[in-house]
């Protein structure tokens, strides 16, 4: 099993990076990605709520349209031994 350092070197070699990015560049990229995530989440939340409503309606329809199982046991006066 390769060490973490070896695995990191192999990863950066596959990306073709010769020099690691600076901390300032990483912070700038993080800020950009964080802002994009916030913008996209505003679209995601209402769509997720709608999806849950559709799935609930689908399950309700399935339950109403499926044949009801016959009831057995105590409801018919049977006794348990």
């Amino acid at each position: 099993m390769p060490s973490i350092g070896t695995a990191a070197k192999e990863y950066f070699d596959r990306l073709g990076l010769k020099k690691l990015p600076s901390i300032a560049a990483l912070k700038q990229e993080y800020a950009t990605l964080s802002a994009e995530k916030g913008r996209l989440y505003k679209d995601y939340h209402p769509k997720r709520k709608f999806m849950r409503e559709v799935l609930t309606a689908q399950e309700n329809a399935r339950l109403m349209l499926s044949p009801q199982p016959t009831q057995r046991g105590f409801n018919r006066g049977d006794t348990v031994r």
Side-chain angles (χ1 to χ4, degrees):
M1 184 163 143
S3 69
I4 294 174
T6 306
K9 181 178 181 334
E10 290 173 1
Y11 174 75
F12 287 120
D13 287 345
R14 277 185 274 144
L15 290 178
L17 294 176
K18 301 295 179 192
K19 183 178 174 183
L20 295 177
S22 68
I23 296 294
L26 292 173
K27 286 182 180 181
Q28 177 61 37
E29 183 178 0
Y30 178 80
T32 303
L33 293 173
S34 181
E36 183 180 2
K37 177 185 173 187
R39 183 179 50 79
L40 292 173
Y41 187 76
K42 289 178 185 175
D43 292 337
Y44 166 76
H45 190 67
K47 291 176 183 177
R48 180 175 176 223
K49 183 179 177 184
F50 176 73
M51 181 195 69
R52 285 185 172 179
E53 290 172 357
V54 168
L55 290 175
T56 300
Q58 180 184 15
E59 182 65 12
N60 289 341
R62 185 189 67 78
L63 289 172
M64 287 189 298
L65 297 174
S66 66
Q68 298 298 318
T70 58
Q71 295 185 354
R72 307 182 101 206
F74 295 112
N75 292 335
R76 290 190 0 197
D78 296 341
T79 58
V80 176
R81 297 177 197 204

